[in-house]
Amino acid sequence: MKTIQKDKTAGTGNTRKIALKTKDKLHSPSEKQSAIPVCKEIFFRTKDGKDISVPVRPEKAARFLTACTGLPRDEHQDRLAEALGYLPPALEQAAAYMKVNGMDCGEYLKLFNAAELDSSKKYTYEDKSIQTVYNTWQVSMKEIGRKSKKTVGRSVVRRLLRVLFFFAVSNKSAPEQLLNLLAFFAPDYIDNRWFRHHPACLPQPLKKVAKNDSDYDHMLTELARYSLIRLDSPKINLHPLFQQTIRDSLQSRQYAWIRRCLRILNKLRYEDFSTDDAREYFLKLVPHILSITELAAGKIVRKVSNMYTFLGYGYNKIANYPQAVEWYLKAYAIREKLLGREHPAMAISCNNIAAVYYNQNLCAEAAEWYLKALAIREKAKVKEQLSTAGIYKNVAIVYHSQGKYAEALEMNLKAYGIGERLQGKDHPDTAVICSSIAAACDGLGRRAEALEWYLKDVTVREKTLGKDHFNLALASNNIAYLYNHLARYDEALEWYQRVLAIREKELGKNHPDTANASNNIAIVYSNLNEYDKALEWHLKALAVREKVLGRKHPDTVATSKSIALVHRTLGNSAEAVEWNLKDSVANEKFLGIEHLSTATAYNDLALVYKNQGKYEKALKMFLATYKMHLAKYGAGHSYTGNIKTKLEWTYNKTAPQKPFDEWLAEKMKESR
C-alpha cells in the first residue's frame, strides 16, 4: 500500500503534493484467487494532516470496474463511478463487494444511495471524499453483519456463519472493532500478530475472536475480500483515506480506541536490542508509535510519555543519539507537568537523558543531568537506594572521562558506601566500584592506593566467581599494570601471566586480547633487562596480531616498532634497521606519508642509522621527520625543536659544504 509521509516543507497553499506511488499488490494467502486489482492513485496531504485521494479519470474508473467485475461498461457503471467520485479506495471497495456477492453496478448503486441517505442522518463530512469512502465501508460492513445473523440451519451461509459467529454478539462486530484499532496505526506494515498475541487489550467480541486462530484468520480473509484491508500475512495495510474516514466516524470515541492502541504498543516494548532483528523491529514499530501518539493530541499523556521513553531507549540502543535525546526530553517534559520537577520518578528521566549525552561524549551535559537526578533523590531522602548508587557511579564515569579524578573519586566513594551498607563488601557490584575507585586514584597519581583498591576488587571476584573466571582478567591486568609502574616487575610479571592464562583458556591463543597479554609480558621483561625474553614475547604477540588484525592495524605496527627497539638495545643494528624499515613502510602504506606515526617510524630508523655511523641515511630520515613535525606542530614547538637539534648534529657529521641553516632553507624550498 502507498506510504503517506508528512510534508516537512513550508507552503502557502492548502495542500502540498508529497508522493506518487503505486500500491503494492497484496493478498490474503488463502484468497489470492478472489483478490481484486489495485487502483493506482495520487495522494495529497493537507497542512492540517488530512489525506486527499485524487480521483482517477472516468475512462480509467470504467476499465477498473470492468476488470474487477467482468461486466461490460454501461450507463449503470458510469453512474456508479460518478457517484463514487472516481475515488480509488471507493472503487476498490465497491468492486470487491460486487465480486464477492455476484452483483452488478446497478444493484450496488442502489445500496450505495441507500447508505448515503442513511449516513446523511448520522454524520456530515465537509470532505466529500471521506463521505464517499464512509458510505462504501458501511455497505460492506452491513452485508457482513447481515450474513452473520442468518439462521445457522441455512446451508447457503452455514460456512460463513461459522466464520462470523462472533462478529455480531455486541453492538460492534469484531471486524469493525479491528478496523477501529487499525485506523490509528500507520497505514503500512501493521503486524496482525500484535492483536492475536495480546487479546487482553482488545474489546469483546474481538478479544474472543483473537483467541481463536481459525476465527481470527477468517475474519482477516473476509476483510481482505471486501478490500477493506490488504493482507500479506503477517502484514496488514490500510488505505490512509479509509483510516481517516474511520477515525472521523468515531468522533468523541476516538480516545477510547487510542487508549487501546497505546495498551497494545505498551505490550510491544522490549529491552534487548542485541540482535539485528531486534533493531530492525524497533524501526518498524516507530511509525506506529508516532502515528498513535500524534493522534492522542495532548490526551492520555502518561501512556504517551511511556512510548516517548521507549523511543528514546530504542534510538539510544541503535546509536541514533540525537533522536534519543529528543524523545527522552519530550517524555521528561510530560512527566514534569504530571509529577512536578522534584518528584522521585523524575530522576529516572534525568538519568536517561544524561546517559545519551555521555554516549555522545557531551560530558558537560551528561554531568548536568546526572547531578539533577542526584539532587532529586537527595531532596526526596532516597540516598540509601542502590539506584542512587548507580547514579553516583554514572557521575563518576563522566568526571573520569573529563579528567576530573578528584570529583570522580568522591562520587565513587559515595556509591561504594551505599553498596557496602546495602549489599555488603563481598557483593560483585561492590567489587566493580572498587575498580572505579582504583582508576580514579591512579588518575591522581596515588598508585599505591589504586593498587589497594584493585586488590580488593580481585579478592571479591575470586570469592564470588572463582580464580579462573574471565571477569578476573581485567582486574588482574590493572594490578599488573600498577606493579609495572611501581617498578615491582616480578609481581607485574606474575599478574600478567595470570591474565594470559585466563585469556588463552576463555578466548584462545589467536585472540587480540591474548596478544595484548603477551605484549605486556614482553614490556615487563624489557624493564627487567631480559631482552631475549622480551623479544620472544613480542614476536608471539606480533604473530597473532598480523594474523587476526592485519599488518596495517596500529597494534601490529606498534609491535614491530617494539621489536626494532629491543634489537637496537641489544646492539643488533642490522635487525633494528630491518624492523624499523618494516615499520616505516607499513606506516607509509596504511597511514600515509604525513601521518605522525610515520614520522615516529622515520625518527626511530634515523636513530639506528645514526648509531651505526651511517649519517647520510640518518640525515635523510631526520629531515623527513622534521618536515612532518613542522607541518603538524609549527617551528616553535618543542617536538620540532628537538628533531631540528638531531638534524643539525647529524648534518655536521656529514662534512658539510655550507652552514646548516642555509642547507635547511634550500631543502625546505625544494619540498615546496
Side-chain angles (χ1 to χ4, degrees), residues 310 400 547:
F310 176 64
H400 194 96
K547 181 178 180 180

Side-chain angles (χ1 to χ4, degrees), residues 90-157:
L91 289 167
E92 285 183 19
Q93 290 187 19
Y97 186 97
M98 288 187 284
K99 185 169 185 177
V100 170
N101 293 285
M103 184 177 291
D104 63 29
C105 294
E107 293 173 303
Y108 184 85
L109 183 58
K110 291 179 182 178
L111 293 176
F112 178 80
N113 289 335
E116 188 172 35
L117 180 63
D118 185 56
S119 67
S120 66
K121 300 174 183 177
K122 300 177 181 178
Y123 305 109
T124 302
Y125 295 95
E126 293 181 6
D127 189 338
K128 185 168 175 55
S129 63
I130 295 179
Q131 184 75 56
T132 301
V133 174
Y134 175 81
N135 293 337
T136 56
W137 169 41
Q138 290 305 303
V139 170
S140 297
M141 295 308 298
K142 186 176 181 180
E143 178 63 12
I144 291 176
R146 186 186 67 80
K147 288 183 177 179
S148 67
K149 293 176 182 177
K150 286 189 176 180
T151 307
V152 177
R154 295 184 182 178
S155 60
V156 177
V157 293

